[in-house]
Amino acid sequence: MKAIAVIPARLASTRLPRKMLREIAGMPLIGYVYKAVRSSPLLDDVIVATESDEILQLCHKNGWNARMTSPDHRSGTERVHEISNSVHAEVYINVQGDEPMTRPEHIASLLGLMENPAVQVGTLATPASPEDVINVHANKVVMDLAGRALYFSHATIPFDRDGANPRYLKHLGIYGYRKSALDRFIGLPESSLERAERLEQLRFLENGIDIHVAVTPYDSIGVDTEDDLRQFEQSLRGQ
C-alpha cells in the first residue's frame, strides 16, 4: 500500500503567529514535525505543503521535501487534496504542521486502519488526561461500538450527568484519506457543525462519511499556544 504523508504548513496562524518558523532548541517547529513523520519506515514520501515562500525556502535549505500550494485553501485537508492531484498514493496521511510529537507508532496505527479498503477516512485518539477532558483546546471524540467517530468537539463529551465515569478520548490531529474521500470533501460546502466548532472533520460526518478511529496509548502535543510551545520544549529537555 503506497502511503505518503502531507504536512500542511501555513505561515499565518491566529493563536501563535508564525508558529511554523518558531525555533525550539535551534530548530524551527516545522523541522521537528518533518523529522518526526519521516522517522516512519512505512511511508513512501513526506511532503510539506505550504503557501509560504519563506517556509518553502527553509525546507529546501534543510533538505526537507516541500511544495508550494494555493494561498486560497481554508483548511489543511484542502492543501492535502491539492498534493493528491499531482502525487499518486493509495493513502494520504495528513499530519498537522503543529504536531512535533508524531511517532512511528501513530503512523503504523493509522495505516493499520487504512488496510481495510472500506475505510475512506481514518484518524487517531488517545485516552484523555483529566486536564485534557476540560481543556477546550484539546479536541475530544466519541465513538460507536464499531470504532467509528460519532462526534468531535472542543467541549467535554460525553457529558457525565450521573457520575458514570465514561471513557474520554482526546483526538489527535493525524488523518488518513483515500483520494476519493479527499475529492468528496472538496466538493462539499462548509457544514454548519464544522463552522460552529471550527473542526473541518465534521464536514465528513455531517455528510454521512464515516471516520474510523484507532486508539493509541501514545499522546501528542499540538502546538497552538505559547504554553504548548513551552510544554514541547520541556519534553525535549526530558528526553
Side-chain angles (χ1 to χ4, degrees):
M1 185 171 68
K2 181 178 180 181
I4 69 165
V6 181
I7 304 171
R10 191 169 60 98
L11 185 61
S13 51
T14 52
R15 280 187 287 177
L16 189 58
R18 295 173 58 83
K19 66 180 176 180
M20 292 295 102
L21 300 179
R22 291 287 295 270
E23 287 208 354
I24 306 147
M27 185 186 297
L29 177 61
I30 186 60
Y32 284 101
V33 180
Y34 184 87
K35 287 175 176 285
V37 178
R38 185 74 273 185
S39 69
S40 168
L42 304 177
L43 296 169
D44 289 86
D45 203 356
V46 178
I47 302 169
V48 174
T50 185
E51 93 302 0
S52 162
D53 187 65
E54 196 173 351
I55 292 176
L56 184 74
Q57 295 307 320
L58 174 74
C59 289
H60 287 171
K61 177 183 175 183
N62 287 279
W64 307 330
N65 190 10
R67 294 189 177 209
M68 187 69 81
T69 50
S70 171
D72 298 327
H73 293 320
R74 295 167 298 171
S75 69
T77 307
E78 291 183 6
R79 221 167 283 286
V80 176
H81 178 259
E82 181 178 338
I83 296 294
S84 77
N85 287 332
S86 58
V87 181
H88 170 72
E90 293 169 79
V91 173
Y92 297 88
I93 302 295
N94 176 358
V95 181
Q96 306 297 317
D98 55 11
E99 290 282 347
M101 294 186 71
T102 301
R103 303 167 59 116
E105 292 90 345
H106 290 140
I107 304 295
S109 293
L110 193 47
L111 289 176
L113 269 183
M114 304 305 292
E115 287 285 351
N116 180 351
V119 174
Q120 293 293 301
V121 184
T123 193
L124 296 180
T126 194
S129 68
E131 295 78 18
D132 282 334
V133 169
I134 58 174
N135 180 4
V136 296
H137 298 303
N139 296 328
K140 272 69 71 176
V141 58
V142 289
M143 297 158 48
D144 67 14
L145 296 177
R148 296 169 300 200
L150 290 169
Y151 195 63
F152 299 86
S153 182
H154 294 283
T156 298
I157 54 171
F159 173 66
D160 189 13
R161 192 189 73 166
D162 296 324
N165 295 317
R167 179 175 71 159
Y168 287 99
L169 291 172
K170 172 185 169 183
H171 178 229
L172 304 183
I174 307 172
Y175 301 88
Y177 309 108
R178 300 196 189 278
K179 172 66 171 163
S180 56
L182 287 168
D183 291 342
R184 179 91 187 276
F185 180 90
I186 293 302
L188 294 167
E190 182 182 52
S191 72
S192 60
L193 294 174
E194 175 187 9
R195 189 178 308 115
E197 292 262 15
R198 300 318 310 167
L199 296 174
E200 63 193 87
Q201 65 268 33
L202 291 173
R203 190 185 309 183
F204 287 111
L205 296 188
E206 205 164 354
N207 285 280
I209 302 166
D210 289 338
I211 299 178
H212 294 252
V213 184
V215 178
T216 174
Y218 301 105
D219 197 0
S220 179
I221 299 171
V223 179
D224 286 318
T225 65
E226 291 285 352
D227 284 344
D228 295 334
L229 202 68
R230 284 191 289 272
Q231 188 179 352
F232 174 58
E233 194 167 16
Q234 288 168 2
S235 74
L236 291 176
R237 294 197 195 103
Q239 288 180 354

